[in-house]
Amino acid sequence: MTPLEAVAHLTPEHWARANRLLVRKALAEFSHERLLTPEPLNDGRYAVRSDDGAVEYRFAARLLSLDHWQIDADSITRHRGEDELPLDAIDFCIELREALGLSEQILPVYLEEISSTLAGSAYKLAKPQLPAAELARADFQAIETGMTEGHPGFVANNGRIGFGVHEYHRYAPEAASPVRLIWLAALREHSTFTSCSDLDYDGLIQQELGEQVLGRFADTLSGLGLDLADYHLIPVHPWQWWNKLSVTFAAEVAQQRLVCLGPGDDEYLAQQSIRTFFNTSAPSKHYVKTALSVLNMGFMRGLSAAYMEATPAINDWLARLVAGDEVLRASRLSIIRERAAIGYHHRQYEAATGRYSPYRKMLAALWRESPVSTLEPGRRLATMASLLHTDHEGRSLAAALIEQSGLAPEVWLRRYLDAYLTPLLHSFYAYDLAFMPHGENVVMVLDGGTVERVIFKDIAEEIVVMDPHAVLPPEVRRIRAEVPEHMKLLSIFTDVFDCFFRYFNAILVSEGVLDEDAFWRTVAECVSDYRASVPHLAEKFDRYDPFAEEFALSCLNRLQLRNNQQMVDLADPSGALQLVGTLKNPVARFAPKPKP
């Protein structure tokens, strides 16, 4: 690819459209988080003014449940006095920097993230797109790489600070470029491998690499006078090798504590989470999650060697809990376990830094089960993020799935909720257990167009047990966190209602598939039916009422605008939350009436 070809997507037309779409999202999400207060004009139109009042944005919008601003992108105009100006997302952030609380330190990095997000949007606009109706019938990876939005809440959601444009073409999920991972040999006394109870190191590596590749790696080491038995093998993102490890870990390479063995034979596709890879050469083999020292959406996407050590044990514990619970079994929930993890300990960086330093997160990997091997005949997979996907004509994949199923929309929605929401409710009320169940962390199993069951993933870094007195095995205690009582149910209200259902409702309403009452009534019925099925948990429902009139508004963008290097401390997930006022609970009006 030539330098000119690498930026072929950056045309005036694509750039203008990308800016219009991102300004629309910024107006909608910053208004939702009450950073901006649109002023009503007339006939469903609103205005937002810059910090100095000199620039005005005007747009048509409809306000839906949960203070969701459904803004018509084509209606947005920008004015300075009598002049109409082109839409520019970077200018938008600069003009409203005080309203957004962007400090001098954060602002330039945030603008770089906005620029990268725009460039990614322009690439997606230039890429041939499947209509939603076709994508709804496509296979797992076609859907995964066909997503165009990324996280629905974060405005700067595709920062990827560190990728050059040539690397974007190679490693971005939407580029759908096959990748071969680079393998390193890591001296065992400097590396730690842990695995689930049904797996060991030799079995995993034999399964993942095979005799031929293992033989090639052994020959490379023996040619250097080294023995494969003295080393662990670690898969590495190619970007990480070229840009970080070969330089930042140069001493480890020079002294043969790390030895580069070259690429493996299998080809992978990057997933929506950017640092996780799906094996396309052998889809039943494990996903591989790699450390990637790229800044993306509020975090450096490294992996901690120390943090990875407990990962398999946490997954074993959760798998046993799911398998042993009658309600979870009935919902057919499953998890794809992170079955093995490996991390390299750079002793000098560890001596020089604190435990959260990105220098401790440069070389680690984990292997996660593939959902393909558990798939029943005639079933297929799709990321739940796809339910929020709309194509270039504004048609949604969700509506296409509902049409494909032949079910009434309410019936389709209820089946999805039984598969997705019921196990989340039960985990919370029965075990004080919360997941991070956003669209990218959930895989749907489809029968035709119908959601039959769901699979949760990204377990060890994302789950939390909110009961400080919970009895957990020693190796699992890391997931226990003290969360204030009034914030516990935000694991449902924020993560599910506000951060997913808010958008899902808006999509179905805007396409005329369902009205708001039908959507939220169906959600309420799912909650009510679950509540009625577990009378022994009545006291928990009294304490944490899912039909409460309102709940705290927890703001994601405010976290990133305040600190786009480390939004949240995973050891204290509630400590950093930005709570601003309340939202009306859309299921409250459908609460079951008390029995006389």
Side-chain angles (χ1 to χ4, degrees), residues 84 444 533 543:
E84 182 172 338
M444 304 181 299
S533 74
R543 196 186 327 164

Side-chain angles (χ1 to χ4, degrees), residues 106-251:
I106 296 295
L107 177 60
V109 180
Y110 191 73
L111 295 183
E112 187 177 0
E113 292 180 281
I114 289 289
S115 182
S116 180
T117 299
L118 288 167
S121 181
Y123 176 88
K124 294 166 194 171
L125 289 167
K127 175 185 172 184
Q129 292 185 34
L130 283 178
E134 289 184 36
L135 195 61
R137 298 178 183 275
D139 65 31
F140 184 27
Q141 289 306 295
I143 293 173
E144 184 77 20
T145 59
M147 299 298 93
T148 56
E149 176 50 43
H151 195 289
F154 287 104
V155 175
N157 67 1
N158 279 315
R160 301 165 183 174
I161 305 301
F163 275 3
V165 67
H166 60 304
E167 292 158 333
Y168 177 91
H169 285 279
R170 292 181 64 189
Y171 306 130
E174 58 269 20
S177 297
V179 175
R180 289 201 295 163
L181 301 178
I182 291 174
W183 286 79
L184 304 185
L187 204 60
R188 288 187 179 229
E189 63 192 70
H190 288 259
S191 54
T192 303
F193 174 86
T194 53
S195 63
C196 289
S197 57
D198 58 350
L199 188 66
D200 60 22
Y201 173 79
D202 290 333
L204 171 73
I205 294 300
Q206 182 71 43
Q207 176 186 345
E208 289 295 296
L209 291 176
E211 290 287 352
Q212 185 175 350
V213 175
L214 266 177
R216 187 169 80 229
F217 289 170
D219 289 346
T220 299
L221 288 168
S222 64
L224 298 170
L226 305 172
D227 188 344
L228 179 61
D230 295 331
Y231 289 82
H232 284 128
L233 299 181
I234 305 181
V236 172
H237 194 297
W239 186 95
Q240 192 76 352
W241 168 252
W242 288 110
N243 292 276
K244 287 294 177 183
L245 302 176
S246 58
V247 177
T248 311
F249 280 43

Side-chain angles (χ1 to χ4, degrees), residues 73-88:
D74 293 329
S75 73
I76 304 170
T77 55
R78 175 184 174 216
H79 305 267
R80 182 185 289 119
E82 297 298 317
D83 298 326
E84 182 172 338
L85 308 175
L87 297 183
D88 186 303

